[in-house]
Amino acid sequence: MYTIWTTKQVLQFAKPGDEVVLRGWVYRKREFRDKIFVLLRDGEGVVQLVFAKDRPEVYDIAAKLNIESSIIVKGVVKEEQRAPGGKEVHVSDVIWFFVGEPFPINPSAAQADSEYLLDVRHLWIRSRKMWAVLRIRHTVFEAIHEYFRSRGFYEVQCPIFVSAAVEGGATLFPVKYFDREDVYLTQSAQFYLEALIYSLEKVYTVAPSFRAEPSRTRRHLTEFWHAEAEMAWARLHDVMNVCEELITHVVRKVLDERLEELSILGRDTEKLERVKPPFPRVLYDEAIEMLQKMGFNVKWGDDLGADEERALMQKFDTPIHLYGFPEEVKAFYHKNDPQDPKRTLSVDVLAPEGYGEIIGGGERIEDPDELVRKIKKFGLRPEDYYWYIDLRKYGSVPHAGFGLGVDRLVMWICGLDHIRDAVPFPRDIRRVKP
Ligand code: NSS
């Protein structure tokens, strides 16, 4: 038997002369004079292997290896300044190998056709870029759970099959559910979280949400990961405080633990270092004014699209809270501001560097009559929301919450051009495989 070393352990702990056993996949291979150099990739990183011609039993195997062939080798560690990490392993023994077929992705042409890379996504996730993104994504999810749990939120699980819209009927996905025609995939766990605060007060969930987004954009998926929280007794400013603490915690943890991955992605970490509370709080009216000055044809009452958000967020180098949206651009459940009833007590958090909206949230309606009035005003049927209205009949309290698009957060933290690259197997209007 032998102990397996990871590439990371070899680079960190192995001394010249140590004999090590490593396993992984061929990331790069090149021949030079009487040697074959293989960059061996495992889950943790890469290490250079050297196969010398004067050991034909290992050299002849190395000659057969393709990119992504798998292999277990034994060898001796040497210092080599030209190798990544300053060390290489001179192979004495090949314990196991699998050559397989030539890998269909050519590393030098990798970026050429993004549709092709999406077709072979099951293989492309082995690339350094996806490796780095997936590791950052892992840390982002960990940080989200860490934040909520350390602040007294209870984690809950909500249904995926639902029978009414939260965010408007246009993006509902119908599901064939036996012989019924009123079943859909959830757009948001919000209404269930609102029910759960009456049991647990502060709750959160991290789960997929689904939206039938009819167009392909840089920031929309049809299936995305949603981190949502709801708090009894909370107001708009509480939501803003939790959102900025949460985002700061996530960004801080990624900076502390994922610098190598950020550097593989070419991310400017200075920009992430600026993420600290409090985030600027910008009233919707101010944003409209700023946009008008930039030449946008927008007026009070308009929703802001991706272009407007991008322009606005070139002006800020940290995330902002954009709050106080007009009633007509926000879903029916948003509470109107008693001081100024044409606007809602709502907030979006927008990410800097042009990324735009990553969070939507605000105060909810606690009065049953007001809720029914708004449901009707939005052309919806109160009977579809009977249990949601019921929550306002028994010990109703002011409450507020929000939903964070985790894939959008990863996209911004990683500095990616497209949300698809923040996800291992993205779903959009045209793509449901691999
Ligand atoms: O529609 S949201 O703005 N708000 C809600 O769903 C609330 N019901 C959440 C709540 O208060 N519990 O969506 C929230 C966030 C939004 O800011 C985006 O970051 C993300 O969810 N989101 C998406 N990400 C990727 N793709 C799509 N299609 C998408 N839609 C929303």
Side-chain angles (χ1 to χ4, degrees), residues 166-167 188 190 211 213 219-221 224 226 228 333 357-361 364 401-403 405 408 419:
V166 178
E167 296 299 329
S188 159
Q190 181 189 324
R211 309 256 168 120
E213 302 284 355
R219 57 181 203 162
H220 287 92
L221 296 167
F224 68 96
H226 211 167
E228 296 181 88
Y333 57 75
E357 183 191 336
I358 53 174
I359 287 181
R364 323 303 191 187
F402 65 91
R408 286 194 188 173
I419 194 169

Side-chain angles (χ1 to χ4, degrees), residues 132-147:
V133 170
L134 292 171
R135 285 166 65 102
I136 292 169
R137 192 176 162 93
H138 162 87
T139 300
V140 166
F141 276 78
E142 185 182 0
I144 291 171
H145 286 283
E146 213 171 61
Y147 174 80

Side-chain angles (χ1 to χ4, degrees), residues 156-163 184-189 192-193 196 205 207-208 210 387:
V156 294
Q157 292 75 33
C158 301
I160 300 291
F161 291 134
V162 299
S163 57
Y184 312 95
L185 295 176
T186 183
Q187 297 169 310
S188 159
Y192 295 96
L193 297 181
L196 284 156
T205 192
F210 303 87
W387 64 266

